């Protein structure tokens, strides 16, 4: 499988392993801390200059006072661990840059890590005021007048780093709450405190930063919601870890990028005809839900498939005919409720023999016969299968495995919960972890509709999608994704790559539609109609112009 060669995202444990490797190979930990704090200060100074010159765009909070001088008072909030040590070093360099700096430590002095203690000693020698406040009550509302008297123009968050686990407690939690109440801009070092660096989950309390200066490598939690929205502007700084150490470690997650996506697009030969550029069979539809089939079918055509057939209940053919003319309709035996019946099985299996890919689920319904039909098809069809919507629901509480051919699943959180027996809350807390485990256990390719979307292929790094927007949270968008992936597979794109590429193109089409129409009124049909323009822009390298 071809993987994006750009940005990799690390978990807390992966970052810890990289740090340990660097230290074991001769890079002193104090040297890493010194560079981390120095680089954080450099980025923070540049960021604040931009804010004061109104060049950096809006920030979440403004200082209570009117003007924002380029130099002024800054409070660094430090914890007892190495993130606090980074904060001590940052304070030293902010002071050297002309700011008046005070460090408030949410811990006992004797509880500092050895490296943090060494950096604290430097602050003391350089007469940077440091106050230890281990009692949570010292950070409470009754004490806020004292903090307000510092008249800080912004705060630096160095309370918790990637090594922290669980919800903040004690004085650290109180310091976070104080920072959030202060309404001052906040710059976080490495991650906003309270944010899970591996999952993006926000414990309470948690910092919402205006700037996050992350160290060495971007953390997964900064790229996934809600962490992405809590990090503000994210800047990555080099802290002196040898590149060879990073390169020799297999990435756990990589971010999709345009060059990778462009390289996966199927070519179209000059002598192409409809049968040579991909045959798709869609199975689904029911009374009142034919729109899902129409969206999936047209999306397969819009990404370049040459022939799309739709196996639908006989009584629903006219509804599909009215929606999309270019799709061949196969009216099949139905139940009394106008859903596909078990009597449709043999005709679908015969049609599947001529198809390059079979997509099952859009509009299928949860009728018992239709659900049983979906299970039999997944078991017996040999062509690659894309399973979505009620096709996924057919396997609730049963688990899903394939005996023949590849299987792509495109669940949202509720469908993922029904498939795996986990709660929606647990999946939302760690979507990447769920996708990794589910794909490896089921041997299926999972495209989880998280924000951003994640593609999990067994035994391969996760691919985090880089396209898409909130306007795509609209009924039918998932059907467009199903058709997009199926259309790519039909054209000969490797199934694993087609799943990830389909997510990328789907999101890109949503971005094109949003730029044209805005996000608020975006509907699924806008996404599918934007697919050709998105592909054209990707092929031509003109993404900035769409």
């Amino acid at each position: 499988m071809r993987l994006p060669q750009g940005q990799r995202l690390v978990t807390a444990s992966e970052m810890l392993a990289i740090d340990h490797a660097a230290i074991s190979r001769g890079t002193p930990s104090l040297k890493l801390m010194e560079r981390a704090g120095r680089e954080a200060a450099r980025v923070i100074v540049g960021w604040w200059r931009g804010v004061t010159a109104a060049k950096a765009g809006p920030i979440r909070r403004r200082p209570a006072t009117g003007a924002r001088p380029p130099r002024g008072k800054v409070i660094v909030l430090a914890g007892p661990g190495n993130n606090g040590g980074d904060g001590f070093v940052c304070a030293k360099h902010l002071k050297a840059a002309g700011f008046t700096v005070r460090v408030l430590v949410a811990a006992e002095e004797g509880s500092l890590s050895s490296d943090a203690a060494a950096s604290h000693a430097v602050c003391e020698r350089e007469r940077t005021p440091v106050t230890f406040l281990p009692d949570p009550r010292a950070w409470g509302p009754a004490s806020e007048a004292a903090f307000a008297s510092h008249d800080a123009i912004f705060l630096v968050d160095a309370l918790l780093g990637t090594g922290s686990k669980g919800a903040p407690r004690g004085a650290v939690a109180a310091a976070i709450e104080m920072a959030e109440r202060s309404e001052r801009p906040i710059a976080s070092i490495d991650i906003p405190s309270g944010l899970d660096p591996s999952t993006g989950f926000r414990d309470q309390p948690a910092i919402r930063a205006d700037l996050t200066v992350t160290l060495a490598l971007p953390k997964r939690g900064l790229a996934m919601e809600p962490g992405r929205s809590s990090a503000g502007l994210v800047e990555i700084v080099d802290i002196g870890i040898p590149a060879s150490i990073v390169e020799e470690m297999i990435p756990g997650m990589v971010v999709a990028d345009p060059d990778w996506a462009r390289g996966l697009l199927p070519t179209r030969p000059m002598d192409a005809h409809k049968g040579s550029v991909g045959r798709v069979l869609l199975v689904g539809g029911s009374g009142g839900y034919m729109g899902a089939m129409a969206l999936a079918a047209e999306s397969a055509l819009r990404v370049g498939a040459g022939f799309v057939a739709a196996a639908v209940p006989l009584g629903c053919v006219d509804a599909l005919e009215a929606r999309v003319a270019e799709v061949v309709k196969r009216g099949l035996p139905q139940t009394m409720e106008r859903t596909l019946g078990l009597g449709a099985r043999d005709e679908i299996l015969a049609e599947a023999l001529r198809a390059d890919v079979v997509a099952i689920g859009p509009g299928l319904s949860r009728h018992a016969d239709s659900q049983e039909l979906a299970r039999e098809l997944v078991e017996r069809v040999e062509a690659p299968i894309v399973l979505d919507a009620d096709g996924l629901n057919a396997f609730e509480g049963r688990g899903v495995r394939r005996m023949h051919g590849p299987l792509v699943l495109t669940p949202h959180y509720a469908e993922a919960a029904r498939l795996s027996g986990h709660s929606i809350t647990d999946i939302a807390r760690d979507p990447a972890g769920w996708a990794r485990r589910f794909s490896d256990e089921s041997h299926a390719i999972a495209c989880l509709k998280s924000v951003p979307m994640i593609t999990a292929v067994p035994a391969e790094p996760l691919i985090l999608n880089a396209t898409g927007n909130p306007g795509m949270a609209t009924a039918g968008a998932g059907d467009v994704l199903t058709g997009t992936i199926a259309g790519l597979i039909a054209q000969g794109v490797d199934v694993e790559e087609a799943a990830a590429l389909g997510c990328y193109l789907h999101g890109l089409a949503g971005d094109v539609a949003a730029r044209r129409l805005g996000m608020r009124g975006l509907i699924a049909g806008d996404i599918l109609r934007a697919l050709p323009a998105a592909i054209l822009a990707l092929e031509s390298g003109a993404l900035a112009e769409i």
Side-chain angles (χ1 to χ4, degrees), residues 194-221:
L195 178 70
D196 189 309
S198 302
T199 69
F201 181 79
R202 272 174 55 89
D203 272 306
Q204 293 300 323
I207 292 290
R208 286 178 60 85
D210 299 282
L211 168 72
T212 298
V213 185
T214 199
L215 309 176
L217 291 164
K219 316 304 181 289
R220 283 192 194 181

Side-chain angles (χ1 to χ4, degrees), residues 323-334:
R323 286 290 303 269
V324 54
E326 296 87 351
V327 172
V328 176
K329 292 85 180 174
R330 308 293 194 205
L332 302 179
Q334 63 185 23

Side-chain angles (χ1 to χ4, degrees), residues 71-440:
R71 298 290 183 270
K73 298 177 182 178
V74 175
I75 294 177
V76 175
L77 305 175
N82 285 351
N83 192 246
D86 299 335
F88 286 126
V89 177
C90 180
K92 177 184 72 174
H93 288 281
L94 288 175
K95 181 179 179 181
F99 292 94
T100 301
V101 183
R102 184 177 188 88
V103 183
L104 303 179
V105 188
E108 297 274 4
E109 184 171 355
S111 67
L112 296 181
S113 70
S114 58
D115 285 353
S119 296
H120 164 239
V122 173
C123 277
E124 282 196 320
R125 286 197 299 271
E126 299 195 1
R127 297 184 179 181
T128 299
V130 178
T131 304
F132 287 85
L133 299 169
D135 188 342
R137 292 171 295 181
W139 300 87
S143 305
E144 285 193 16
F147 295 119
S149 68
H150 294 306
D151 194 25
I153 55 175
F154 64 87
L155 308 179
V156 175
D157 160 35
L159 290 162
L160 297 173
T162 56
S164 63
K165 295 181 180 179
R169 299 177 297 276
V172 170
I176 292 172
E177 291 170 347
M178 185 280 296
E180 285 294 292
R181 288 193 301 267
S182 74
E183 298 187 350
R184 297 295 194 268
I186 300 174
S188 290
I189 298 178
D190 209 13
I191 59 166
S193 294
L195 178 70
D196 189 309
S198 302
T199 69
F201 181 79
R202 272 174 55 89
D203 272 306
Q204 293 300 323
I207 292 290
R208 286 178 60 85
D210 299 282
L211 168 72
T212 298
V213 185
T214 199
L215 309 176
L217 291 164
K219 316 304 181 289
R220 283 192 194 181
L222 299 176
M224 301 172 63
E225 294 296 341
R228 183 173 64 174
S229 295
S230 302
L233 174 67
V234 176
E235 295 283 351
I236 307 163
V237 295
D238 179 7
I239 64 170
I241 292 176
S244 59
I245 292 176
V246 177
E247 290 167 359
E248 70 189 25
M249 299 187 75
I250 298 173
M253 177 183 281
V254 291
V255 180
D257 62 74
D259 290 340
W260 162 83
R262 188 178 300 113
L264 295 180
L265 289 173
T267 57
R268 207 169 186 93
M270 293 300 295
D271 60 349
H273 57 83
K274 67 182 179 183
S276 69
V277 290
R279 296 176 65 98
V280 176
L281 173 61
L282 286 163
V283 181
S286 58
Y289 292 94
M290 291 308 296
M293 282 294 279
L295 289 167
E298 187 173 347
S299 298
L301 292 168
R302 292 290 184 181
V303 296
F307 182 93
V308 177
V312 300
L314 181 60
C316 297
V317 169
D318 288 347
L320 186 58
E321 189 76 41
R323 286 290 303 269
V324 54
E326 296 87 351
V327 172
V328 176
K329 292 85 180 174
R330 308 293 194 205
L332 302 179
Q334 63 185 23
T335 66
M336 293 291 290
E337 292 81 7
R338 289 198 302 154
T339 73
L340 281 171
L342 288 170
R345 178 188 55 206
D346 291 344
E347 291 183 66
I348 293 173
L349 289 173
E351 186 73 34
L353 292 174
R354 297 186 288 272
D356 297 300
V357 62
V358 178
I360 304 171
L364 181 69
S365 88
R366 301 197 72 174
H367 189 284
D369 286 2
S370 304
Q371 298 275 282
E372 177 61 27
L373 174 65
R375 289 190 290 270
E376 289 197 28
L377 293 175
V378 169
E379 180 180 349
R380 297 179 60 177
V381 167
E382 296 188 11
I385 290 177
V386 181
L387 196 64
D388 186 31
D390 285 327
L392 295 169
N393 292 330
F395 291 88
E396 181 176 359
R398 298 169 181 263
V400 56
R401 290 179 72 94
R402 278 271 279 159
M403 301 303 294
H404 310 287
L407 176 64
V408 179
L409 301 91
T410 60
H412 54 57
Y413 284 177
E415 291 163 343
R418 289 192 284 270
L419 276 173
S420 62
H422 292 85
S423 70
I424 295 174
T425 300
D426 286 344
I427 294 168
R429 188 180 183 105
D430 184 11
W434 181 90
R436 174 76 286 148
R437 291 187 297 273
F438 182 83
S439 177
D440 289 344

